[in-house]
Amino acid sequence: MERDGDADVRLDRAFLALADPIRRAIVARLSRGPATVNELAAPFDITKQAVSKHIQVLEQAGLVTRTRDAQRRPVHLDAAALERLTAWIDRYRLDAERSYRRLDSLLAGMTDTPEKGKKK
């Protein structure tokens, strides 16, 4: 069983990893399927070593994994990790939506009621 503190640390690492635009682009690319470091480095004007460091950050955050396929070492997106992030975000999004619906109802009720004491 995971303690809340462990979940918080994983959440912090994941959001910190996704704060970088290159790492977000890598995650977006991996959402279409596994890729090698060379394939992931192609669209960027940075070294393969820099891309490898970005991948290490994503690995430490639990967002990607690497496997060995003969000489290839493809990087894979961990969809379950992204689902945990989405679930965390959704929890707060749903709370906010409920508040907005209550506010909408209150405002609609205020506009439907005629003002008291107003002469015609």
Side-chain angles (χ1 to χ4, degrees):
M1 180 155 177
E2 184 177 85
R3 296 185 325 247
D4 284 344
D6 293 340
D8 288 344
V9 168
R10 279 201 351 235
L11 193 63
D12 291 346
R13 283 186 185 152
F15 281 118
L16 184 60
L18 293 173
D20 185 277
I22 291 175
R23 290 193 286 267
R24 286 194 308 272
I26 290 170
V27 167
R29 165 53 188 87
L30 291 173
S31 70
R32 298 190 315 265
T36 63
V37 172
N38 287 341
E39 293 166 340
L40 292 170
F44 302 109
D45 192 23
I46 59 175
T47 65
K48 289 177 192 163
Q49 291 80 11
V51 170
S52 287
K53 287 182 181 183
H54 283 295
I55 292 169
Q56 286 175 345
V57 171
L58 292 168
E59 270 186 300
Q60 291 167 354
L63 297 172
V64 302
T65 58
R66 291 188 212 203
T67 58
R68 185 173 297 280
D69 179 19
Q71 295 300 318
R72 294 183 72 230
R73 295 222 15 166
V75 181
H76 306 266
L77 185 62
D78 184 344
L82 287 181
E83 293 214 12
R84 285 190 297 273
L85 292 176
T86 303
W88 184 86
I89 291 167
D90 279 348
R91 184 173 72 216
Y92 295 103
R93 181 184 58 79
L94 293 172
D95 286 346
E97 284 180 7
R98 278 191 287 276
S99 294
Y100 289 131
R101 281 195 296 273
R102 284 193 305 270
L103 181 59
D104 286 345
S105 294
L106 177 66
L107 292 173
M110 290 173 66
T111 58
D112 290 344
T113 353
E115 292 183 36
K116 294 183 180 179
K118 201 172 196 183
K119 295 182 182 178
K120 290 188 177 185

